[in-house]
Amino acid sequence: MNIKILSRNSQLYSTKRLVEAAMKRKHTVEVVDPLKCDIVIERRNPNIYFKGKYIKDVDAIIPRIGSSVTFYGTAVVRQFEMMGAFTTTDSEALVRSRDKLRSLQVLSRAKIGLPKTVFTNYSRDVSGVISQVGGPPLVIKLLEGTQGVGVVLAETKNAAESVIEAFNGLQARVIVQEFIKEAKGADIRAFVVDGHVVGAMKRQGKDGEFRSNLHRGGSAESIELSDEEEIAAVKATKAMGLGVAGVDMLQSSRGPLILEVNSSPGLEGIEKATGKDIAKTIIRYIEKHA
Ligand SMILES: Nc1ncnc2c1ncn2[C@@H]1O[C@H](COP(=O)(O)OP(=O)(O)OP(=O)(O)O)[C@@H](O)[C@H]1O
Ligand SMILES: [Mg+2]
């Protein structure tokens, strides 16, 4: 098969592993930077122009679209779809997953466990927002944050108010969420491919840190999910319409609570923690469907 990996950087671990896995299984594979693709639109003849020629006869694409290039990246994915290529990440699902508010709405409609969350449009009734999530301690997150930056634990009402007001003053939109204490500074990442969990790890924040992000010094180990966790991960992925996803959840006293469903989940953490060949699983998923 002719497989294109849409990635800005062929040196990234995930990109390299996917290339390697595709080659091992005798496919033709190329890394295509979506930002260097021109989208050619005319009547019934969708095309993509890349490095001086038209891209032809693509069987499948693996989009690895960073959140900073969602708009153009999605347009390129959509163009490949119009050209008849199979994609491991549907363009509509990609857009949906990048909108945190919309994602939580979709998950809530699918009856998936979530931490109680309030989105607020710079509300001046800060006290009301705080009581909506059951009062302190609570977590305040910048809507635009990633890798734990802009995620704050406010232990008292005073602290919560000052942080929310400060963000409001900077015109930075926030999410206010109940703090799941029982998670004990850990979260779970379940890697889902084609409706099955193919690997899972527990990430633990370093001592005294409630954020488990590996970029913040957290550590990861492979875990076996409970049935309930496995079902939640698969259901969340399905609700988002994703073929490949990284589902982040917290273990709470009322069962798994989904934090986020990631549409371009990295392979490095999960492959290293589990020792599993997730790249190969993704290539096999393509072989089954393309
Ligand atoms: N409501 C919560 N209760 C307890 N711990 C939480 C809660 N929300 C987040 N955390 C912890 O903080 C970490 C970072 O939060 P989150 O994943 O929401 O933000 P992020 O990693 O910055 O954003 P993204 O995952 O979108 O890149 C989580 O992995 C989890 O360990
Ligand atoms: Mg996170």
Side-chain angles (χ1 to χ4, degrees):
M1 279 195 299
N2 183 7
I3 300 172
K4 303 286 187 205
I5 297 166
L6 304 188
S7 166
R8 297 225 55 206
N9 182 349
S10 58
Q11 294 312 307
L12 294 177
Y13 178 95
S14 302
T15 313
K16 280 201 289 200
R17 287 284 301 118
L18 288 163
V19 168
E20 212 174 275
M23 278 172 34
K24 250 195 202 155
R25 296 187 63 81
K26 310 271 182 266
H27 299 299
T28 305
V29 58
E30 185 188 13
V31 178
V32 170
D33 179 349
L35 296 195
K36 296 205 173 124
C37 289
D38 292 328
I39 296 171
V40 185
I41 296 175
E42 61 177 329
R43 185 178 164 168
R44 291 182 59 193
N45 185 25
N47 266 307
I48 291 172
Y49 194 72
F50 175 68
K51 286 192 179 161
K53 49 179 188 282
Y54 289 105
I55 295 187
K56 288 262 175 271
D57 305 319
V58 177
D59 297 299
I61 57 167
I62 306 176
R64 304 266 336 146
I65 308 294
S67 49
S68 57
V69 298
T70 301
F71 174 75
Y72 200 78
T74 307
V76 173
V77 173
R78 199 179 304 117
Q79 191 78 353
F80 274 110
E81 288 169 352
M82 287 166 62
M83 290 160 63
F86 172 78
T87 174
T88 56
T89 310
D90 175 83
S91 58
E92 293 288 322
L94 179 60
V95 173
R96 199 179 298 130
S97 76
R98 289 292 156 79
D99 180 334
K100 285 193 188 193
L101 172 52
R102 186 171 171 199
S103 296
L104 289 181
Q105 287 171 324
V106 167
L107 295 171
S108 139
R109 187 176 53 202
K111 302 199 180 74
I112 287 160
L114 302 166
K116 187 162 184 193
T117 305
V118 177
F119 279 80
T120 163
N121 188 43
Y122 321 115
S123 167
R124 263 175 248 176
D125 180 14
V126 173
S127 189
V129 171
I130 291 171
S131 52
Q132 280 295 322
V133 297
L138 50 80
V139 177
I140 301 158
K141 301 183 187 181
L142 262 180
L143 206 46
E144 306 295 323
T146 56
Q147 303 182 346
V149 178
V151 179
V152 180
L153 172 61
E155 315 226 28
T156 64
K157 187 157 188 264
N158 267 338
E161 279 177 356
S162 349
V163 173
I164 296 170
E165 280 164 10
F167 280 142
N168 278 351
L170 293 167
Q171 299 263 304
R173 236 182 281 270
V174 293
I175 303 173
V176 181
Q177 198 165 62
E178 70 173 303
F179 176 57
I180 308 301
K181 193 166 159 233
E182 316 91 90
K184 298 196 186 89
D187 75 351
I188 290 176
R189 158 65 60 95
F191 206 103
V192 178
V193 179
D194 200 13
H196 300 279
V197 173
V198 299
M201 61 179 167
K202 186 167 185 166
R203 297 177 293 205
Q204 180 73 55
K206 58 180 186 212
D207 260 359
E209 172 62 73
F210 81 102
R211 296 165 296 181
S212 58
N213 300 68
L214 301 182
H215 288 101
R216 307 205 60 81
S219 59
E221 61 175 63
S222 183
I223 55 153
E224 191 73 40
L225 296 186
S226 69
D227 288 351
E228 199 188 1
E229 287 159 357
E230 193 160 335
I231 290 167
V234 170
K235 210 165 139 187
T237 304
K238 200 170 160 206
M240 296 298 292
L242 290 164
V244 173
V247 181
D248 294 342
M249 51 192 161
L250 297 174
Q251 290 177 308
S252 82
S253 50
R254 56 180 201 271
L257 304 177
I258 307 284
L259 277 182
E260 193 197 13
V261 181
N262 198 311
S263 54
S264 284
L267 295 182
E268 186 165 14
I270 193 82
E271 287 197 333
K272 287 188 172 158
T274 63
K276 287 185 178 155
D277 191 341
I278 307 282
K280 179 167 133 191
T281 311
I282 294 173
I283 300 299
R284 295 188 70 140
Y285 165 50
I286 290 175
E287 290 168 357
K288 200 169 133 197
H289 294 275

